Amino acid sequence: MTRLVVRSFAVSLDGYAAGPDQSLENPLGVRGPELMEWFFHTRTWRSMQGATGGENGVDEEIAQQGFAEVGAWILGRNMFGPVRGPWLDESWKGWWGDEPSYRVPVFVLTHHPREPLVMKGGTVFHFVTDGIDSAVKKAVAAANGKDVRVGGGAATVRQLLSASRIDEMHLAVRPVLLGRGEPLFQGIDMHGLGYRCDKVIAGERATHMFLRRDAP
């Protein structure tokens, strides 16, 4: 059965999922890359960059699990790129080059229509203009029984959490304090929505927390 999952989602000790002032030069915001340091050292990340090496260990094992049995993704507009407002042209094709690592259909939430973008390796970006429920429905259908992974950003995750649509969530909690940025849980009563911490695993550079929503 298809589940909506959040995996390998990095967050600071003070609850921020990205730094402030996101831009083309700082796609994760100022100091945002510090949140992903646990991932950047893994063999999985190195392989995604076409490189060899990287570390084995707990962080690597969990990074691998993050891509297992994923049949489709959902992304917010900001996760696709820094372009705001109507698409002036279709020159921007994402942060990932000609062959993104998704390799499955990706559904991008936006208010502005755009034709599907077919990339090398099997990734197809579909731009959804009629809301989160439509994106979920389309992603579930495209996943063909596998999981739908929600890649972010924080606003998209908050929207799906508030609607109790996310079944499982893995947070990689980094031992840093950002002070400012994109808060993950602002305005959300996770306990009231039925979420609980299912397990905690200590990694080399992050503490991995797995949340699950109990059936109502």
Side-chain angles (χ1 to χ4, degrees), residues 23-92:
S23 65
L24 181 61
E25 294 74 24
N26 293 293
L28 298 176
V30 176
R31 294 185 58 210
E34 294 179 37
L35 299 176
M36 297 302 297
E37 277 296 313
W38 76 274
F39 187 53
F40 293 152
H41 291 268
T42 63
R43 297 178 70 87
T44 295
W45 168 256
R46 296 279 296 170
S47 176
M48 289 168 62
Q49 308 311 303
T52 59
E55 298 177 359
N56 287 312
V58 173
D59 288 345
E60 163 60 15
E61 182 179 350
I62 291 175
Q64 281 187 10
Q65 292 172 2
F67 292 93
E69 293 300 311
V70 174
W73 287 66
I74 293 175
L75 300 181
R77 168 78 179 263
N78 293 356
M79 284 291 294
F80 178 74
V83 183
R84 302 292 184 266
W87 305 98
L88 300 179
D89 56 46
E90 297 190 356
S91 59
W92 179 261

Side-chain angles (χ1 to χ4, degrees), residues 7-23:
R7 295 178 179 167
S8 301
F9 200 85
V11 64
S12 67
L13 284 175
D14 47 352
Y16 293 102
D21 304 321
Q22 291 171 275
S23 65

Side-chain angles (χ1 to χ4, degrees), residues 13 23 27-28 51-52 61 67 70 74 76 82 102 109 116 123 128 140 157 165 176 187 189-191 193 210-211 215:
L13 284 175
S23 65
L28 298 176
T52 59
E61 182 179 350
F67 292 93
V70 174
I74 293 175
Y102 298 105
L109 294 160
T123 301
V128 181
V140 168
V157 174
R165 300 301 297 270
V176 297
D189 179 357
M190 292 290 287
H191 176 74
L193 290 171
F210 295 83
L211 311 182

Side-chain angles (χ1 to χ4, degrees), residues 3 5-9 11 38 58-67 166-173 185 190 194-203 206-214:
R3 302 169 301 166
V5 299
V6 173
R7 295 178 179 167
S8 301
F9 200 85
V11 64
W38 76 274
V58 173
D59 288 345
E60 163 60 15
E61 182 179 350
I62 291 175
Q64 281 187 10
Q65 292 172 2
F67 292 93
I166 291 174
D167 299 299
E168 295 181 5
M169 187 173 188
H170 160 226
L171 299 177
V173 182
F185 293 121
M190 292 290 287
Y195 291 95
R196 60 181 174 83
C197 187
D198 188 48
K199 61 181 175 180
V200 178
I201 300 175
T207 299
H208 302 280
M209 298 189 175
F210 295 83
L211 311 182
R212 183 185 299 273
R213 181 174 177 269
D214 291 326

